[in-house]
Amino acid sequence: MKKVRWSNLYLWIVFILLYLPIFFLVIYSFNAGDVMQGWDGFSLKHYQELFADTRIIEIVLNTFVVALLSSLIASVIGTAGALYIYNQSSRTMKDIVLSLNNVLLVSPDVIIGASFLILFTVVGFSLGFMSVLLSHIAFSIPIVVLMVLPKLKEMNTSLVAAAKDLGANNWQMLSRVILPVISPGILAGFFMAFTYSLDDFAVTFFVTGNGFSTLSVEIYSRARQGISLEINALSALMFVVSLLLVLTYYFVSTRSQNKKHTTRLITSATEGV
């Protein structure tokens, strides 16, 4: 009992340390004053200033477009990469490819951003929307692979064998057997890639240019000029969006698991009859 109580206490302390700064950020976004020193009354003026700022609105759209496109493309490429790793017959080759995939996950963001900057500079690629999009796709692919590969390992291989015995071609096996089974992993990879893209700063900071910017870079630039409560309002909205993404993924994954559980119960009942 003591161990359980101490573990619960530790968990609550961690949650408080994590969420207390966010709590103050959100609260002060409704402050009538202009600084985070003292409470001058409740006001929505910082949100009104935020929605009246056309540059911020443009940057928000840029950020979401990059996040959506990069996560979609990364989900397709990452799923294909996971299938390639899974189908490798050579254990050594499989380990090598998987290790190369994980390099981007363990490498510091500063190193990745600087590497992309050097690459784009050497090949003469102009910095802007495309450079940011390509960079986000690149660092999102390993995340998708990491989410999809465990689902492939959990997949019942007899399903693929049965599909082959029934005369299914490769595309039919992929679209009707494999993808439906690993879809929770693909969905998790998509949401993880989308979230990483939304809040990435280090890589984006190196490869952005030509007037193109994302929210993380813009917030950093404005914070250097002085803390404005408009930044609090923007950060509060981004936190709400991230929370909604997490809840959406939770409900979708829970619904998928419930469907699988129901299907298993029906199958067991049918076999019993």
Side-chain angles (χ1 to χ4, degrees):
M1 290 294 293
K2 288 184 179 180
K3 290 184 178 179
V4 175
R5 288 175 182 174
W6 277 111
S7 62
N8 289 339
L9 178 62
Y10 171 76
L11 185 63
W12 277 109
I13 291 174
V14 170
F15 275 123
I16 290 171
L17 290 175
L18 287 174
Y19 285 97
L20 192 60
I22 299 175
F23 174 76
F24 277 107
L25 181 146
V26 174
I27 291 297
Y28 272 93
S29 68
F30 297 101
N31 187 13
D34 295 323
V35 292
M36 289 185 64
Q37 293 179 356
W39 180 260
D40 297 327
F42 181 88
S43 174
L44 294 174
K45 74 171 188 176
H46 300 294
Y47 288 91
Q48 293 170 351
E49 293 172 358
L50 178 64
F51 287 110
D53 192 335
T54 55
R55 175 171 170 77
I56 281 291
I57 299 300
E58 181 184 352
I59 291 173
V60 168
L61 293 176
N62 290 340
T63 303
F64 275 92
V65 168
V66 169
L68 184 61
L69 288 178
S70 64
S71 54
L72 283 173
I73 297 172
S75 296
V76 175
I77 300 175
T79 301
L83 287 168
Y84 173 79
I85 296 172
Y86 177 75
N87 290 320
Q88 275 291 325
S89 56
S90 172
R91 179 68 183 179
T92 303
M93 187 62 181
K94 183 181 292 187
D95 291 340
I96 291 174
V97 176
L98 189 58
S99 298
L100 291 174
N101 174 80
N102 294 337
V103 167
L104 284 176
L105 291 175
V106 298
S107 298
D109 289 344
V110 175
I111 301 300
I112 297 172
S115 301
F116 279 121
L117 176 61
I118 294 171
L119 174 64
F120 291 140
T121 303
V122 169
V123 300
F125 196 88
S126 61
L127 300 180
F129 172 77
M130 284 304 300
S131 62
V132 174
L133 178 62
L134 291 174
S135 302
H136 282 222
I137 292 171
F139 71 67
S140 296
I141 290 173
I143 299 171
V144 178
V145 172
L146 206 64
M147 295 291 106
V148 174
L149 200 56
K151 293 298 179 182
L152 283 170
K153 293 179 180 179
E154 294 173 4
M155 182 176 62
N156 189 351
T157 54
S158 61
L159 294 174
V160 178
K164 288 182 179 179
D165 291 339
L166 293 172
N169 55 37
N170 290 335
W171 172 248
Q172 289 172 330
M173 283 190 297
L174 178 64
S175 60
R176 299 183 182 181
V177 178
I178 299 175
L179 289 181
V181 172
I182 65 174
S183 58
I186 299 174
L187 187 65
F190 170 80
F191 275 105
M192 286 289 292
F194 189 85
T195 305
Y196 269 72
S197 178
L198 277 182
D199 65 5
D200 178 75
F201 168 75
V203 176
T204 308
F205 182 76
F206 279 93
V207 298
T208 192
N210 293 331
F212 183 85
S213 185
T214 61
L215 276 175
S216 57
V217 176
E218 182 67 14
I219 290 173
Y220 172 76
S221 300
R222 294 197 178 195
R224 291 186 65 187
Q225 300 171 4
I227 300 299
S228 168
L229 294 188
E230 186 179 340
I231 295 177
N232 285 44
L234 177 59
S235 301
L237 290 177
M238 290 301 298
F239 174 72
V240 172
V241 170
S242 301
L243 189 61
L244 289 175
L245 286 173
V246 172
L247 291 175
T248 301
Y249 171 69
Y250 172 77
F251 285 120
V252 171
S253 60
T254 303
R255 185 178 179 183
S256 176
Q257 290 175 358
N258 289 338
K259 281 185 177 180
K260 286 184 179 180
H261 181 66
T262 304
T263 304
R264 288 176 183 173
L265 289 177
I266 293 173
T267 303
S268 301
T270 305
E271 290 177 353
V273 173

